[in-house]
Amino acid sequence: MSTALITGVTGQDGSYLAEVLLDKGYSVHGIVRRASTENFERIDQLRGRIELHQADLLDQMSLVNVLREVRPDEVYNLAAQSFVPTSWLQPSLTGEFTALGVTRMLEAVRLTKPDTRFYQASSSEMFGKVQDTPQSEDTPFYPRSPYGVAKVYGHWITVNYRESFDLFACSGILFNHESPRRGREFVTRKISESVARIALGLQDELGLGNLDAKRDWGYALEYVDAMWRMLQQSEARDYVVGTGEQHSVREFVETAFAHVKLDPDDFVKVDPELVRPAEVETLLADPRRAREELGWVPQTSFEELVKIMVEADLEAQERASGRRRGRPGAR
């Protein structure tokens, strides 16, 4: 039985990855931060099947101690301050978690079990003001937020440890990947949940920023499979993971409202306060290396992804409110 350790196990990607690894027969361990209130909503169904350990990306020794105890075959470093708007409000803290936290994890691996295979969650936000379209593993980085800058650091320190200490350390440059487990602060989940609430008569409008920003959106459950495939290779390499298709925020909104047979023009308001200080206008993956070397191909279309998210939020809002689609009180 292989042993895996996941940082960020309570997040969208971490919870899906834990499920995938359990299905493959892994012993799965997760790192969680000590907090006065704990949010294990995404892994409630896994309690008793995975083992949780308290540690913090800001504290080197806590990471070393967990690595010594678990002695994992694979480490997936998914934890970060991952919300782009927050990175402008807390740029230094974002750097501590999202940049230096990677160094602390790599150092813990180097000191305790250097034959561990290490995965770093890089991001398409590193491309920022894109220099080439589509973006591949060879496209230069030009980050446009403190989050993107921190992710570039995390990416290159992973390369550095791979080349300096011969660690099996690789990065997945994942483009936007969504699901019903996406945090409510992210635009896709904000849209899907708001559309569900509007359809049920629980909300009157949806405020958004730049509707013309374009992204390469895929299904998070499929993207964690690409992470696992990277660590099964004979050589550590970095991979772009995306669909190779691009859609605007406006298209996401239109598709979501169409699913509940409503006109978005009746509900969507543009809020200038939600526009980023430095916008990333367009991101589009070139995932050929992942397809050719990992055998990874996305299976869920953009339209299917939006439907999955809206349906999940409709069901959740129905349970919470007692409202039902097509019943009195719902539009």
Side-chain angles (χ1 to χ4, degrees), residues 11 51 67 77 104 113 121 133 136 148 164 197 201 204 229 238 243 268 284 297 323:
E51 187 172 344
L67 266 291
N77 186 42
R104 296 185 187 104
K113 195 172 181 293
T133 298
S136 72
S164 300
R197 290 178 56 80
D204 295 322
R229 290 176 184 239
D238 305 323
T243 69
V268 175
L284 177 62
V297 179
R323 298 283 183 90

Side-chain angles (χ1 to χ4, degrees), residues 137 239-241 287-297:
E137 294 83 1
Y239 293 88
V240 160
V241 178
R288 281 179 293 178
R289 180 187 289 181
R291 181 175 65 246
E292 294 168 1
E293 297 184 11
L294 302 179
W296 181 86
V297 179

Side-chain angles (χ1 to χ4, degrees), residues 195-235:
V195 167
R197 290 178 56 80
I198 289 169
L200 295 172
L202 299 170
Q203 185 172 320
D204 295 322
E205 66 178 43
L206 168 59
L208 295 170
N210 182 9
L211 296 177
D212 297 319
K214 294 180 179 179
R215 295 292 186 269
D216 184 325
W217 275 303
Y219 188 18
L221 176 59
E222 297 170 355
Y223 283 48
V224 300
D225 175 63
M227 299 176 188
W228 174 79
R229 290 176 184 239
M230 290 180 209
L231 295 195
Q232 313 315 307
Q233 302 304 299
S234 58
E235 177 186 356

Side-chain angles (χ1 to χ4, degrees), residues 144-303:
R144 297 271 282 170
S145 67
Y147 169 76
V149 172
K151 278 293 184 182
V152 170
Y153 177 99
H155 181 88
W156 281 115
I157 200 66
T158 301
V159 173
N160 185 260
Y161 268 67
R162 178 170 71 217
E163 295 178 349
S164 300
F165 303 114
D166 198 30
L167 297 185
F168 190 106
C170 62
S171 293
I173 307 174
L174 270 58
F175 281 63
N176 295 67
H177 47 290
E178 318 297 324
S179 78
R181 298 183 190 177
R182 190 56 136 160
R184 289 174 172 83
E185 68 273 21
F186 289 86
V187 67
T188 52
R189 182 70 192 288
K190 181 179 180 180
I191 293 168
S192 65
E193 187 173 68
S194 295
V195 167
R197 290 178 56 80
I198 289 169
L200 295 172
L202 299 170
Q203 185 172 320
D204 295 322
E205 66 178 43
L206 168 59
L208 295 170
N210 182 9
L211 296 177
D212 297 319
K214 294 180 179 179
R215 295 292 186 269
D216 184 325
W217 275 303
Y219 188 18
L221 176 59
E222 297 170 355
Y223 283 48
V224 300
D225 175 63
M227 299 176 188
W228 174 79
R229 290 176 184 239
M230 290 180 209
L231 295 195
Q232 313 315 307
Q233 302 304 299
S234 58
E235 177 186 356
R237 298 190 74 186
D238 305 323
Y239 293 88
V240 160
V241 178
T243 69
E245 294 184 10
Q246 189 180 63
H247 300 273
S248 66
V249 175
R250 190 183 307 277
E251 287 177 82
F252 199 107
V253 169
E254 291 170 348
T255 305
F257 273 100
H259 184 65
V260 295
K261 297 180 173 55
L262 292 174
D263 185 346
D265 291 340
D266 294 334
F267 305 99
V268 175
K269 311 295 181 186
V270 175
D271 183 353
E273 293 295 320
L274 297 176
V275 177
R276 297 181 181 185
E279 183 60 84
V280 175
E281 297 292 346
T282 180
L283 292 171
L284 177 62
D286 177 358
R288 281 179 293 178
R289 180 187 289 181
R291 181 175 65 246
E292 294 168 1
E293 297 184 11
L294 302 179
W296 181 86
V297 179
Q299 302 296 319
T300 304
S301 71
F302 172 75
E303 291 76 17

